[in-house]
Amino acid sequence: MEEQLSQLQSTVELLSAIEMEMYYWWCTAIMVLIHAGFLAYEMGASRVKNSLTAGVKNILALAYLIPAFYFVGWWIYNAFPGGFTITEGASAAAPWSSSMGPNLSDKGTGIFWAAFTLFGATTASILSGALIERIRLSAYVILACVLGAGVWILGGAWGWHPDGWMLTELGYHDIGAAGVVHTVAGFFALGVLINLGARVGKYGPNGEIHDIRPHNLPMALIGLMLIIVGFFGFLGGCIIYNVGGDWTTIYGNPSNLSAFGFNTLMGFAGGVIGAYAISREPFWMMSGALAGIISAAAGLDVYYPPVAFLVAFVGGCIAPIGGRLLEKAGIDDAVGAVSVHGFAGVWSLIASGIFLHGYPNVGDLPDVTFMGQVIGAAVMMALGFVPGYGISLAMKSMGILRVPEEVETLGLDAVEVPSVAYPESSIPARANQ
Amino acid sequence: MDPSTFAAWEGASAVFTFGPGSAGMWLFLLGAIGVGLGVLGRMIIQENQTFRSLDPDLVKEGGLRGANI
């Protein structure tokens, strides 16, 4: 009898471990839809002459980000939860470790690495849209790797890790990665945009703003909806499936997918309605959906759903307003990425500070507080902005950041991509010879 | 250089080619990094060359047609 019970227990543990692998496998697969979405979104948002380059940029970013995250990203996450000092045992996450490849006694590392890699790729895609139609392909690939395999995951180690200093010192709570993914990526993009400059024709000689319209708005909208689908994989990957135990957040507090179900959908709805109330533009409505989910993300595990809805509503309002303010300030963010991800991410942390103030963390960890969340937001903003600005400034000074003006006028597809987006149309977009 | 580091599946742990810490592992790890960096470097060179030698007819044609600006 005892032997049977022991066997049964082993079988249950094995099945649970396999289920854990399957869960994150499918979260990762669904997250790939984020990149399908960004691909359609950015190609649609570009003018015809730049549409293929926008697509190639997205495809290459994902391809480069994956090995870059393998080489350094996973190690950074495991090495720096304490700040800038390397944690003991981090070498287990280095690419020469026995866990960083097929290993029959390790069911966790590969599947978590895969999910985190897709989180990193999301940051690269957030950056991508803001820079379309004038950045060099090579410059973008470099910046995408720096952000997706370096900068954001350092933020992840600090604020999205069971031992991260922001949790242990501030009680930081950011369950849906509003800060560590969206704020960092949004403010990294802002830093790059300042050095990259506006597209030719965006501003007139007296500073008047010209609207540069997407060549295919319906495709952009479908892309945005695909990103929303992918978010379910992204947010699903934010909860911890504990083998032999109940769901927890990455901070160790109990949670479940029901909480995520309520508040992800309410976030979507609030964001769309908020953006509609402010702009009535379909582009901003779908962007508002993203902003809404991001706004609710930090407190996804505990918000009362109408709270999530109203937080998201405000986030949906912030997106178009923030986009217009940036435009007036001379920042040409082609898809509103800074506003949708950066500003909504900050709002998410502030809102969670308001509504989660006093919530306990597990064990001896400090409670969630308003000040802790605000400081956390400031850390994430700085962590994104400073390297984004600094590295792009260095690239600008070397002349490798932006395409020459005549290339921009001609269209990037003609010089970056040996193919034609719409060969039967009369619009010139010749292949590179 | 034998890519297999184990003779039987029973009790095997890390089963990837060459095995952890081996010369083969380092060769392919460094090779993968090198290929990634090499293609990126080639991308920069190719862009520089293309930007320097734009076809004047293409520039003219694009300009004349407005190129969607």
Side-chain angles (χ1 to χ4, degrees):
Chain A
M1 182 69 176
E2 213 167 276
E3 194 181 329
Q4 279 178 324
L5 272 176
S6 169
Q7 247 180 356
L8 191 62
Q9 193 175 357
S10 302
T11 306
V12 168
E13 278 172 13
L14 178 63
L15 286 175
S16 182
I18 291 170
E19 278 174 11
M20 180 274 290
E21 280 192 291
M22 285 166 57
Y23 175 77
Y24 288 111
W25 171 269
W26 290 114
C27 283
T28 304
I30 295 168
M31 271 195 274
V32 175
L33 284 175
I34 291 177
H35 302 284
F38 273 115
L39 183 69
Y41 174 37
E42 291 172 29
M43 286 197 298
S46 300
R47 287 164 289 180
V48 167
K49 62 179 182 176
N50 300 315
S51 57
L52 283 181
T53 306
V56 167
K57 195 154 63 64
N58 270 74
I59 298 164
L60 265 184
L62 186 55
Y64 259 92
L65 197 278
I66 292 167
F69 199 84
Y70 179 85
F71 298 144
V72 295
W74 189 240
W75 177 78
I76 290 173
Y77 180 68
N78 286 277
F80 295 106
F84 290 108
T85 52
I86 297 173
T87 303
E88 204 178 324
S91 60
W96 49 85
S97 151
S98 62
S99 291
M100 289 300 282
N103 187 323
L104 301 178
S105 57
D106 184 350
K107 283 188 167 58
T109 301
I111 206 70
F112 279 108
W113 168 82
F116 273 70
T117 300
L118 267 291
F119 293 142
T122 301
T123 64
S125 288
I126 291 166
L127 172 69
S128 173
L131 316 177
I132 54 172
E133 303 198 301
R134 74 279 208 199
I135 194 164
R136 285 174 65 145
L137 196 54
S138 55
Y140 169 69
V141 169
I142 293 168
L143 289 166
C145 288
V146 169
L147 172 61
V151 174
W152 93 271
I153 194 63
L154 183 61
W158 292 353
W160 213 44
H161 187 290
D163 301 320
W165 70 267
M166 292 176 66
L167 172 65
T168 57
E169 301 296 323
L170 303 171
Y172 182 72
H173 193 88
D174 181 16
I175 182 60
V180 301
V181 167
H182 298 285
T183 304
V184 170
F187 278 84
F188 188 97
L190 178 61
V192 176
L193 282 169
I194 290 170
N195 289 311
L196 184 65
R199 288 168 288 179
V200 169
K202 177 66 183 174
Y203 296 97
N206 302 314
E208 62 271 28
I209 299 168
H210 297 148
D211 193 16
I212 298 179
R213 293 179 180 277
H215 94 275
N216 191 335
L217 184 56
M219 184 159 79
L221 296 180
I222 291 168
L224 280 160
M225 189 57 96
L226 276 174
I227 297 172
I228 298 288
V229 178
F231 260 44
F232 281 82
F234 182 104
L235 294 170
C238 292
I239 191 167
I240 305 297
Y241 185 121
N242 293 292
V243 175
D246 206 347
W247 299 101
T248 62
T249 69
I250 206 152
Y251 307 116
N253 61 283
S255 189
N256 53 42
L257 282 174
S258 282
F260 283 44
F262 277 128
N263 289 330
T264 304
L265 288 175
M266 290 297 252
F268 170 87
V272 171
I273 293 170
Y276 178 77
I278 293 293
S279 75
R280 300 186 191 278
E281 289 180 18
F283 178 83
W284 279 116
M285 285 167 65
M286 281 308 304
S287 296
L290 290 179
I293 294 175
I294 294 163
S295 299
L300 213 57
D301 54 333
V302 288
Y303 279 148
Y304 175 51
V307 172
F309 176 85
L310 288 175
V311 166
F313 177 86
V314 174
C317 295
I318 286 172
I321 293 170
R324 281 174 200 158
L325 288 175
L326 284 171
E327 198 174 44
K328 283 179 184 169
I331 305 290
D332 180 17
D333 178 355
V335 298
V338 176
S339 187
V340 169
H341 297 272
F343 295 172
V346 170
W347 163 238
S348 185
L349 295 174
I350 293 171
S352 62
I354 296 168
F355 294 107
L356 271 58
H357 181 81
Y359 262 75
N361 270 304
V362 295
D364 297 332
L365 295 168
D367 291 351
V368 181
T369 63
F370 178 73
M371 279 314 295
Q373 295 298 95
V374 169
I375 293 168
V379 169
M380 294 301 166
M381 289 161 71
L383 181 62
F385 182 81
V386 173
Y389 181 84
I391 295 165
S392 60
L393 182 63
M395 294 173 83
K396 183 183 180 182
S397 67
M398 289 188 280
I400 57 168
L401 182 64
R402 183 171 175 146
V403 300
E405 189 172 329
E406 61 269 28
V407 169
E408 191 181 339
T409 304
L410 181 65
L412 272 65
D413 284 9
V415 295
E416 293 272 25
V417 184
S419 193
V420 181
Y422 301 97
E424 292 168 358
S425 79
S426 61
I427 297 164
R430 275 212 227 145
N432 183 19
Q433 301 302 313
Chain B
M1 198 188 300
D2 186 355
S4 172
T5 56
F6 62 101
W9 287 101
E10 288 75 28
S13 182
V15 293
F16 55 84
T17 38
F18 304 110
S22 63
M25 185 217 76
W26 281 106
L27 180 69
F28 279 84
L29 173 59
L30 295 174
I33 294 170
V35 165
L37 291 176
V39 172
L40 182 59
R42 185 74 191 91
M43 196 191 305
I44 295 170
I45 292 166
Q46 192 269 336
E47 282 178 333
N48 287 340
Q49 286 171 345
T50 311
F51 295 163
R52 275 199 300 267
S53 56
L54 287 178
D55 177 358
D57 290 342
L58 187 61
V59 175
K60 194 176 167 190
E61 187 183 348
L64 280 176
R65 294 195 189 183
N68 261 2
I69 290 178

